[in-house]
Amino acid sequence: MTDHPSDKAGGGKSQIWGGRFERGPAAVMEEINTSIDVDRRLWREDIEGSKAHSAMLAAAGIISAADRDAIHGGLDRIAAEIESGGFAFSRALEDIHMNIEARLKELIGEPASRLHTARSRNDQVATDFRLFVRRACDDMAAAIRALQQALVEKAAQHAATVMPGYTHLQTAQPVTFGHHCLAYVEMLERDRTRFLDARKRMNECPLGAAALAGVPYPIDRAMTAKALGFDRPTANSLDSVSARDFALETLAASSICASHLSRFAEEIVLWTSPHFGFAALSDAFSTGSSIMPQKRNPDAAELCRAKVGRIAGGFTALLIVMKGLPLAYSKDMQEDKAATFQALDDLALALAAMAGMVADIRMDEQAMRAAAMRGYSTATDLADYLVRKLGLPFRDAHHATGAIVALAEKKNARLDELSLDDMRGVERRIDKDVFGHLTVDASVAARASYGGTAPANVAAEVRRWKEKLA
């Protein structure tokens, strides 16, 4: 296919809406108006929607069966041309919809001109975009599930591996690394269901709403909705063409998911630093330095951490585009796709990279255990011992434990390195069995309440998640 004459600046009337205008657009107008560089990736959805529309038109007696067959044959040929790289996209034709329609007319002639009966580019693009975002929601849900599966496998390997748990990035209490992994599995499940919820809400078909008011033809919108896999047609023609909340909801879900990935990525950056020394990534997910030969940089994690800025930026950009638009369609809405495409591409890449890193990362169990033993991480276990064994009110037990921790700090010793006499100097009723409660293993094993970090809990949750994600 050759370029159209109007591809050149000042190349005459528009082939799209030239009947109303005597002159073609200025070059700068063409530049700001065209969207083909962005929306060309909707070609599959556009052909799918056009086939459904033409089949409905024929079934309703609005076009002939022969026209329908010619349209479908031409659309199939266009799909083959695009897939093979043999389709010449024209910027003068503005968008993917008119590019396909113009090529269809070259291929089959007059029947192509009947395809746009009872349809506008407004409901056409709304339908194409919903199809694309709906498919993206399915893809994101699948990618999230793959990451969850990687995390569950890692949790299974480390159900009893002790590490320090943090609040304020200060040592708090011992936890298991398996439990830590499963925390992200829970977050990601909420992310996954957010995409599925968004998909369910957007699964209504705008096709047939036309420009904004509906059409005077006896169309069957339920037929096109069913053909395209929608649950039903949209119920209001104005809303049909002006709504982009389905994209906003998907971008909001993407932003939340990206924030979860960013949190985990930050932990990988910390864990792989020599100051923590908890983990290492292989060469597959690390880079070096151009000047410092000893460096192994967790660049994949850092880039996943950064993606949330672009993804949340896409959500904000579209939200601001939509916030002041009167009903129904405005050209501002052409800006919806660039932000959405970029955000979804970024999230898909980040999810794949994170799943790769989770499978790749190797944890140093000894280093994590040693870190868990520092910082008086079993102090709460001592307070709980005083409550259970001696019947102290928790606030009194908390006070006594604080005094014992202060003593340990003065002696530069761990709690389990203090003598029984040291402890009895604070609370005389403490017995020697207290030391059995002050190990990190005893601490995590004791946290057997529902949702707790006990290794038995982790093993049970691993089994549950494996079954759920299978």
Side-chain angles (χ1 to χ4, degrees), residues 54-73:
S54 58
M56 181 276 296
L57 292 177
I62 299 170
I63 67 172
S64 68
D67 285 344
R68 176 202 61 205
D69 294 343
I71 289 168
H72 286 203

Side-chain angles (χ1 to χ4, degrees), residues 131-351:
L131 288 170
F132 181 92
V133 176
R134 186 180 71 180
R135 186 172 291 120
C137 285
D138 291 336
D139 292 343
M140 294 306 159
I144 290 170
R145 175 169 288 190
L147 175 54
Q148 287 178 294
Q149 289 171 327
L151 284 163
V152 169
E153 287 301 321
K154 194 64 68 173
Q157 298 167 21
H158 294 282
T161 299
V162 177
M163 68 176 291
Y166 298 97
T167 61
H168 310 279
L169 202 57
Q170 306 295 312
T171 300
Q173 293 177 278
V175 296
T176 56
F177 182 60
H179 193 58
H180 196 101
C181 290
L182 291 177
Y184 283 101
V185 174
E186 295 286 345
M187 293 181 215
L188 289 165
E189 181 65 9
R190 294 191 294 275
D191 292 327
R192 191 179 70 85
T193 55
R194 266 187 281 271
F195 282 108
L196 296 179
D197 288 345
R199 186 199 195 282
K200 183 177 180 180
R201 262 184 293 281
M202 78 177 68
N203 206 34
E204 297 181 343
C205 184
L207 198 57
L212 76 163
V215 300
Y217 302 93
I219 62 172
D220 185 349
R221 294 190 61 207
M223 178 180 174
T224 49
K226 183 177 180 181
L228 294 171
F230 290 105
D231 294 330
R232 64 191 69 85
T234 50
N236 183 286
S237 60
L238 288 166
D239 177 57
S240 300
V241 298
S242 64
R244 293 296 184 271
D245 54 347
F246 64 91
L248 282 168
E249 185 173 7
T250 301
L251 292 179
S254 299
S255 300
I256 296 169
C257 182
S259 75
H260 290 153
L261 300 185
S262 181
R263 295 181 72 180
F264 193 31
E266 168 66 7
E267 294 193 313
I268 292 175
V269 171
L270 291 173
W271 294 340
T272 56
S273 72
H275 306 287
F276 277 75
F278 290 179
L281 291 167
S282 75
D283 294 351
F285 289 94
S286 304
T287 65
S289 165
S290 64
I291 189 173
M292 295 169 284
Q294 84 281 8
K295 294 293 294 298
R296 179 185 289 276
N297 299 322
D299 282 7
E302 291 173 358
L303 289 166
C304 286
R305 185 176 60 186
K307 291 295 184 187
V308 67
R310 289 160 58 106
I311 295 166
F315 169 71
T316 303
L318 182 54
L319 187 66
I320 293 172
V321 165
M322 297 301 299
K323 75 171 183 64
L325 298 185
L327 296 180
Y329 181 82
S330 297
K331 195 69 169 182
D332 312 49
M333 293 164 68
Q334 183 169 285
E335 297 297 315
D336 57 0
K337 285 168 281 297
T340 303
F341 292 164
Q342 185 65 67
L344 293 173
D345 288 347
D346 284 337
L347 182 59
L349 182 58
L351 284 166

